[in-house]
Amino acid sequence: MLKRILLIVIIFFGCFTCFSNELIEKDSSKSKTISFKIKLQSAESIQIKVAPLKYNKHFAYSFTLDDGYRSTYLTAFPLLNGGKISNSDKNEWKIDQGGDGTTSNGLFYSDGFGNKIPFKLALAVNGGAIRDLPANRGHLSWSEIKEMYNAGWDILNHGFHHATKHGTNYLTEVIENTASIKQNLDFTMSHFVVPGGEGDAGYHLEYEKDALANGFFSVASYTGVGPVFKVDSKVNLDKMITARTFVQSSKDTTSFKTMDRYLKTLDSIVKQPNSLWFNEFTHGTGNTNLWNLSMRFPDFKYYMTTIADKYGIKGNDSIWMAPWQEVYEYIWLRDLIKIDYKQKGKDVEVKIVIPEIPEAFRYREISLVIDTSSKFEIEFGKDLIIKDDGKTSHKLVHLKLK
Ligand SMILES: [Zn+2]
């Protein structure tokens, strides 16, 4: 059975009409071809390109919280997604994983069409540590993780027990964690983050090997590529091993100087003319600097709020604040689709060949940059949502494939 493809096209300005001429073809190699028509108002020449990043943003910033600490749900999630941030909350380790008790409206960038999208992070979790009790547990529960996953946060494999020491069965750690998340939350993780800690020299190489051999698309480790990736041209995502860098609070609890240093680094990356992807990590986000490897909540709030004010919808709106898996999947698809278009006067026929997309992918989306001085309409199938913005001067089409 040919699966129907839902295409959501959102384009800027003009008035629009829809026709049922959506066309889906299938060729011999499990790839699919979708096509649509662009009707120009005048016969100006058109150029269609895939946007380097979703919504044609200037840079993507991915941020992962390691180890599945409860502070994620008590503080980071409500701050970014909107909601009540927990008051001080001493957990079973006598550590304050709460925040400042305020209510956040959320932190947002826009999709370029006037819609607000909340900042989303990834969590690297250990299935062996996830539990529902006691009430003051230090780790997340299944339902908390599910809620964040459903809000678009990515869940990454961090080993079943966070085991690193001599004698660890790395393969079992990888596989058991996959099975645990699949069993309890019903999805398959596809990216691995090597647990840090004391271990045999080069133990991370074993984790890398076992994860890549067992269905994981990328591994964040001690050494590797990144944390900044140029994404203007094809990115080598195949069996990707990345270097992990952390944002952490210092002993200074009286100023935000440490955070300002990290922000300055981020700003120097953002100022480069290329489209870039920047990837960072921390651990806890509660009031206490957990294991001295975390961001204290005031630092985390200052850091994320400053980023939102500067590069989010309240600022220059240049950020795509999206977790690792979401960005990886966009770039993977972006680099493998083939776009072909033919213009005859005012009519443009666009064909896009889509490769077979791995089942573990959460996203099947592509943004197209349309370069023409003419206004246009788009002709599509009935499964189409068109949104008129009209506030900006460039043209963007965003496709969602099902
Ligand atoms: Zn860890």
Side-chain angles (χ1 to χ4, degrees), residues 66-280:
D66 279 1
D67 302 351
Y69 294 119
R70 186 124 195 274
S71 53
T72 299
Y73 186 77
L74 296 177
T75 66
F77 184 58
L79 175 71
L80 272 53
N81 205 53
K84 173 87 167 66
I85 295 159
S86 169
N87 284 306
S88 286
D89 187 90
K90 282 257 167 83
N91 71 5
E92 55 188 323
W93 311 317
K94 309 267 185 284
I95 282 165
D96 184 355
Q97 289 206 112
D100 60 9
T102 60
T103 298
S104 170
N105 293 323
L107 304 179
F108 302 93
Y109 63 95
S110 92
D111 62 1
F113 307 105
N115 302 302
K116 294 198 299 185
I117 302 177
F119 280 23
K120 290 173 285 180
L121 309 184
L123 312 177
V125 302
N126 317 104
I130 301 166
R131 55 213 166 104
D132 295 326
L133 291 168
N136 65 344
R137 68 203 133 77
H139 286 104
L140 294 164
S141 68
W142 292 112
S143 61
E144 287 164 348
I145 294 175
K146 186 72 174 181
E147 190 182 334
M148 291 185 274
Y149 176 79
N150 288 343
W153 289 39
D154 285 336
I155 308 300
L156 317 179
N157 188 336
H158 200 38
F160 188 60
H161 297 105
H162 204 285
T164 59
K165 287 185 177 149
H166 178 74
T168 296
N169 186 329
Y170 307 105
L171 178 61
T172 307
E173 282 292 309
V174 173
I175 291 172
E176 273 192 16
N177 206 32
T178 306
S180 158
I181 299 302
K182 177 72 186 162
Q183 190 189 334
N184 289 284
L185 299 175
D186 200 29
F187 61 85
T188 303
M189 298 181 292
S190 53
H191 296 270
F192 192 83
V193 178
V194 172
E198 221 178 278
D200 293 341
Y203 82 90
H204 60 283
L205 303 174
E206 299 298 316
Y207 266 127
E208 291 167 9
K209 181 168 63 73
D210 290 335
L212 292 175
N214 283 280
F216 287 84
F217 297 121
S218 79
V219 179
S221 191
Y222 287 96
T223 57
V225 293
V228 181
F229 305 88
K230 280 187 187 168
V231 296
D232 283 334
S233 52
K234 195 174 179 345
V235 182
N236 186 3
L237 297 174
D238 190 40
K239 301 202 181 302
M240 186 183 216
I241 296 170
T242 61
R244 218 160 19 141
T245 54
F246 291 91
V247 180
Q248 287 168 4
S249 292
S250 65
K251 288 197 174 109
D252 173 14
T253 56
T254 57
S255 79
F256 293 118
K257 278 182 192 155
T258 304
M259 291 302 114
D260 284 333
R261 274 207 307 279
Y262 287 110
L263 289 163
K264 211 175 151 193
T265 303
L266 178 65
D267 200 55
S268 68
I269 291 164
V270 172
K271 283 208 173 91
Q272 294 179 44
N274 313 67
S275 299
L276 296 164
W277 179 18
F278 186 33
N279 179 41
E280 289 194 303

